[in-house]
Amino acid sequence: MSVCVQVRSRSLWRVEPSEGEVPPEGEAELRLVAHLDDTLRFQDKLSLAVLDSRTHTVPVSAAGKGTTIVSDRPFAPSLDLGAHFSSGPCQYHFRLTNRGRRSHQLYWMTEGFPQFRRPGNPASHGNGRGRAGAATLC
């Protein structure tokens, strides 16, 4: 029996292998892979066509988990820059990339800085013992 499995051309889903033979009294193992690019619920339909038989439509769904913000260098859960004996600044450069489909607003602070408050709030400027910032990644 010949089998062909298809998804839409611009689908976040793919099936491996996409076609094959199933011998008499045999079985075939398929792998459904979803490349989710957001923390939303995604749905699609999988089409399973069996030669000389009907085509079966199988609904599939999955929800993204985690974050779509990634760094080119490690910095979490902690960052130890080691000993730095110099009068100049100790710097660690890294790039954050949003691989998702929605904008995200990021907040950061140094130790000793109070919890972040919304911009425009006079109390959001801190107590002078640390620094904070914000950025929007599109």
Side-chain angles (χ1 to χ4, degrees):
M1 164 174 54
S2 293
V3 177
C4 178
V5 184
Q6 296 178 327
V7 290
R8 295 176 303 114
S9 62
R10 296 185 46 90
S11 177
L12 299 174
W13 305 81
R14 75 176 187 278
V15 179
E16 299 169 348
S18 62
E19 58 185 54
E21 293 274 329
V22 182
E25 301 296 321
E27 56 187 51
E29 187 172 312
L30 302 177
R31 180 178 172 187
L32 179 62
V33 179
H35 182 77
L36 308 179
D37 59 0
D38 206 339
T39 56
L40 304 170
R41 183 156 206 66
F42 292 91
Q43 298 178 347
D44 209 338
K45 292 180 181 173
L46 180 74
S47 178
L48 176 66
V50 179
L51 186 65
D52 298 326
S53 184
R54 60 178 267 224
T55 299
H56 303 274
T57 301
V58 181
V60 293
S61 66
K65 181 179 174 183
T67 181
T68 58
I69 306 297
V70 296
S71 174
D72 64 340
R73 294 178 64 190
F75 72 93
S78 65
L79 179 62
D80 182 0
L81 299 178
H84 182 74
F85 302 105
S86 173
S87 61
C90 181
Q91 300 180 7
Y92 183 81
H93 296 267
F94 58 95
R95 178 175 307 217
L96 297 177
T97 304
N98 181 358
R99 293 202 177 142
R101 44 176 75 192
R102 296 183 288 170
S103 294
H104 292 276
Q105 191 157 17
L106 306 176
Y107 302 95
W108 62 89
M109 66 187 101
T110 59
E111 189 173 333
F113 196 80
Q115 289 289 52
F116 185 82
R117 291 179 183 85
R118 294 272 179 225
N121 182 347
S124 69
H125 296 295
N127 59 9
R129 292 182 298 183
R131 304 186 111 191
T136 300
L137 289 183
C138 299

